[in-house]
Amino acid sequence: MKLIYYPGCTLKNQARNFDVSTVSSMAELDVEVEELARWNCCGTVHALASDDVMHRMAPVTNLIRVKEANASEFMTSCAMCYNTLKRANIDVKKRADALETINQFLYLEETKYAGDVDVLHLLEYLRDRVGFDKLAEKVKKPLTGLRVACYYGCLLVRPKEVAFDDAENPVVMENLISALGGTPVPFPQKTECCGAHHTVGNPEIVAERTDKIMGSAHEQAADLVVVSCPLCAFNLDFRQDDARRLNPDFHHLPVLYFTQLMALAFGCDDASLRFDLHHIDPLPALAARGLA
């Protein structure tokens, strides 16, 4: 089985562990991910102004690349890329005038976009196309005893039109963790915002959010937190020292991508995990459960 894969910029840079664990774990599921040729940045954020067609050109260009690959759908594992690509796609499908304008701007492209490509998130693909029962059959190293807090943040569930799960109480990641043999814990903060881009200009806001979110995970006796967004991963992982300065009672917890736990459970090698890229080392928490 072959699947067109859009990695996005961050997965080729700061979140290389997300990229390699995605590709390696999908190979264990007998899914060949083919990286989209000539992909460009998704645009990072969706423009809220309805007449701002310029900021929809970047995502639409990627949709054109999918058509050039003779595909009608593609997958991304990055929540931010998913949100931006999905919202732009929904928008141009609804607004023929905007789509016509974008195609006119992209006059150098031989292929014109007609709203005929679907954007999938990896979690959605695993649930609906692979199936968690089949996924569980591939587990070689069950995550027995590992208590996991699943963090969705904003971009997988907001706005509701992009959500592929219950926007208020999503469970797709929890079901994945259960299929891998782990124990998902109740996590009241799982759809709260991490502070996002405030990490650049107002890091104290992110430190406060990190304290609250990670504190909630600690209260549930979680061993670690899993995410699907590189920005969430950065804020919740690399801002923990700032959170500790705000709150001396703050407890450090590792933050992993859900694909890293997949790769671990599937028995992939260390090069597919890249735990060395984390600020808070996940190995002690994994070793305590006999997983490292």
Side-chain angles (χ1 to χ4, degrees), residues 168-184:
E168 299 298 329
N169 184 32
V171 295
V172 62
M173 263 200 279
E174 284 87 347
N175 291 339
L176 170 63
I177 296 303
S178 295
L180 297 175
T183 303

mmCIF file of all heavy atoms in Angstrom, residues 168-184:
data_model
loop_
_atom_site.group_PDB
_atom_site.id
_atom_site.type_symbol
_atom_site.label_atom_id
_atom_site.label_comp_id
_atom_site.label_asym_id
_atom_site.label_seq_id
_atom_site.Cartn_x
_atom_site.Cartn_y
_atom_site.Cartn_z
ATOM 1 N N GLU A 168 -14.713 18.179 21.489
ATOM 2 C CA GLU A 168 -14.635 18.480 22.917
ATOM 3 C C GLU A 168 -13.903 17.390 23.696
ATOM 4 O O GLU A 168 -13.219 17.675 24.680
ATOM 5 C CB GLU A 168 -16.053 18.654 23.488
ATOM 6 C CG GLU A 168 -16.847 19.790 22.865
ATOM 7 C CD GLU A 168 -16.210 21.150 23.091
ATOM 8 O OE1 GLU A 168 -15.549 21.337 24.134
ATOM 9 O OE2 GLU A 168 -16.365 22.024 22.217
ATOM 10 N N ASN A 169 -14.058 16.157 23.250
ATOM 11 C CA ASN A 169 -13.428 15.047 23.971
ATOM 12 C C ASN A 169 -12.903 14.009 22.977
ATOM 13 O O ASN A 169 -13.437 12.908 22.865
ATOM 14 C CB ASN A 169 -14.423 14.398 24.935
ATOM 15 C CG ASN A 169 -13.773 13.310 25.779
ATOM 16 O OD1 ASN A 169 -12.593 13.386 26.112
ATOM 17 N ND2 ASN A 169 -14.546 12.284 26.121
ATOM 18 N N PRO A 170 -11.852 14.349 22.240
ATOM 19 C CA PRO A 170 -11.303 13.395 21.271
ATOM 20 C C PRO A 170 -10.686 12.189 21.981
ATOM 21 O O PRO A 170 -10.170 12.311 23.097
ATOM 22 C CB PRO A 170 -10.236 14.220 20.542
ATOM 23 C CG PRO A 170 -9.842 15.276 21.532
ATOM 24 C CD PRO A 170 -11.089 15.603 22.292
ATOM 25 N N VAL A 171 -10.725 11.048 21.320
ATOM 26 C CA VAL A 171 -10.195 9.825 21.935
ATOM 27 C C VAL A 171 -9.315 9.020 20.982
ATOM 28 O O VAL A 171 -8.846 7.943 21.340
ATOM 29 C CB VAL A 171 -11.342 8.921 22.449
ATOM 30 C CG1 VAL A 171 -12.101 9.599 23.579
ATOM 31 C CG2 VAL A 171 -12.286 8.529 21.315
ATOM 32 N N VAL A 172 -9.077 9.527 19.778
ATOM 33 C CA VAL A 172 -8.345 8.730 18.796
ATOM 34 C C VAL A 172 -6.932 8.397 19.272
ATOM 35 O O VAL A 172 -6.449 7.273 19.076
ATOM 36 C CB VAL A 172 -8.328 9.439 17.419
ATOM 37 C CG1 VAL A 172 -7.617 10.782 17.482
ATOM 38 C CG2 VAL A 172 -7.690 8.549 16.356
ATOM 39 N N MET A 173 -6.259 9.341 19.927
ATOM 40 C CA MET A 173 -4.915 9.041 20.427
ATOM 41 C C MET A 173 -4.961 8.055 21.585
ATOM 42 O O MET A 173 -4.105 7.172 21.693
ATOM 43 C CB MET A 173 -4.189 10.327 20.842
ATOM 44 C CG MET A 173 -3.277 10.867 19.761
ATOM 45 S SD MET A 173 -1.996 12.006 20.345
ATOM 46 C CE MET A 173 -2.927 13.515 20.463
ATOM 47 N N GLU A 174 -5.967 8.201 22.444
ATOM 48 C CA GLU A 174 -6.107 7.249 23.545
ATOM 49 C C GLU A 174 -6.323 5.833 23.011
ATOM 50 O O GLU A 174 -5.755 4.862 23.534
ATOM 51 C CB GLU A 174 -7.284 7.647 24.447
ATOM 52 C CG GLU A 174 -7.004 8.812 25.374
ATOM 53 C CD GLU A 174 -7.261 10.169 24.742
ATOM 54 O OE1 GLU A 174 -7.418 10.233 23.504
ATOM 55 O OE2 GLU A 174 -7.302 11.170 25.480
ATOM 56 N N ASN A 175 -7.138 5.709 21.969
ATOM 57 C CA ASN A 175 -7.381 4.393 21.380
ATOM 58 C C ASN A 175 -6.116 3.826 20.740
ATOM 59 O O ASN A 175 -5.880 2.614 20.775
ATOM 60 C CB ASN A 175 -8.506 4.481 20.350
ATOM 61 C CG ASN A 175 -9.854 4.756 20.991
ATOM 62 O OD1 ASN A 175 -10.046 4.508 22.183
ATOM 63 N ND2 ASN A 175 -10.789 5.281 20.223
ATOM 64 N N LEU A 176 -5.306 4.703 20.170
ATOM 65 C CA LEU A 176 -4.026 4.268 19.614
ATOM 66 C C LEU A 176 -3.112 3.750 20.718
ATOM 67 O O LEU A 176 -2.503 2.677 20.586
ATOM 68 C CB LEU A 176 -3.357 5.429 18.876
ATOM 69 C CG LEU A 176 -1.896 5.209 18.450
ATOM 70 C CD1 LEU A 176 -1.790 4.061 17.453
ATOM 71 C CD2 LEU A 176 -1.302 6.482 17.873
ATOM 72 N N ILE A 177 -3.005 4.503 21.805
ATOM 73 C CA ILE A 177 -2.140 4.090 22.913
ATOM 74 C C ILE A 177 -2.597 2.747 23.476
ATOM 75 O O ILE A 177 -1.775 1.871 23.786
ATOM 76 C CB ILE A 177 -2.125 5.164 24.016
ATOM 77 C CG1 ILE A 177 -1.518 6.469 23.488
ATOM 78 C CG2 ILE A 177 -1.361 4.673 25.239
ATOM 79 C CD1 ILE A 177 -0.119 6.342 22.927
ATOM 80 N N SER A 178 -3.897 2.555 23.596
ATOM 81 C CA SER A 178 -4.419 1.276 24.080
ATOM 82 C C SER A 178 -4.040 0.141 23.136
ATOM 83 O O SER A 178 -3.679 -0.957 23.579
ATOM 84 C CB SER A 178 -5.941 1.349 24.227
ATOM 85 O OG SER A 178 -6.314 2.273 25.232
ATOM 86 N N ALA A 179 -4.112 0.401 21.828
ATOM 87 C CA ALA A 179 -3.745 -0.621 20.845
ATOM 88 C C ALA A 179 -2.266 -0.981 20.940
ATOM 89 O O ALA A 179 -1.873 -2.114 20.635
ATOM 90 C CB ALA A 179 -4.078 -0.137 19.437
ATOM 91 N N LEU A 180 -1.450 -0.028 21.379
ATOM 92 C CA LEU A 180 -0.014 -0.271 21.531
ATOM 93 C C LEU A 180 0.315 -0.940 22.869
ATOM 94 O O LEU A 180 1.479 -1.247 23.136
ATOM 95 C CB LEU A 180 0.756 1.046 21.425
ATOM 96 C CG LEU A 180 0.664 1.780 20.078
ATOM 97 C CD1 LEU A 180 1.366 3.131 20.165
ATOM 98 C CD2 LEU A 180 1.247 0.944 18.945
ATOM 99 N N GLY A 181 -0.702 -1.140 23.699
ATOM 100 C CA GLY A 181 -0.503 -1.808 24.981
ATOM 101 C C GLY A 181 -0.313 -0.877 26.151
ATOM 102 O O GLY A 181 -0.105 -1.328 27.281
ATOM 103 N N GLY A 182 -0.366 0.440 25.905
ATOM 104 C CA GLY A 182 -0.191 1.415 26.968
ATOM 105 C C GLY A 182 -1.494 1.742 27.674
ATOM 106 O O GLY A 182 -2.563 1.226 27.326
ATOM 107 N N THR A 183 -1.393 2.625 28.653
ATOM 108 C CA THR A 183 -2.554 3.024 29.445
ATOM 109 C C THR A 183 -2.782 4.523 29.313
ATOM 110 O O THR A 183 -2.034 5.321 29.888
ATOM 111 C CB THR A 183 -2.349 2.679 30.935
ATOM 112 O OG1 THR A 183 -2.099 1.281 31.070
ATOM 113 C CG2 THR A 183 -3.573 3.068 31.754
ATOM 114 N N PRO A 184 -3.786 4.947 28.536
ATOM 115 C CA PRO A 184 -4.093 6.382 28.463
ATOM 116 C C PRO A 184 -4.744 6.838 29.764
ATOM 117 O O PRO A 184 -5.597 6.138 30.314
ATOM 118 C CB PRO A 184 -5.067 6.476 27.286
ATOM 119 C CG PRO A 184 -5.676 5.117 27.175
ATOM 120 C CD PRO A 184 -4.655 4.134 27.669
#
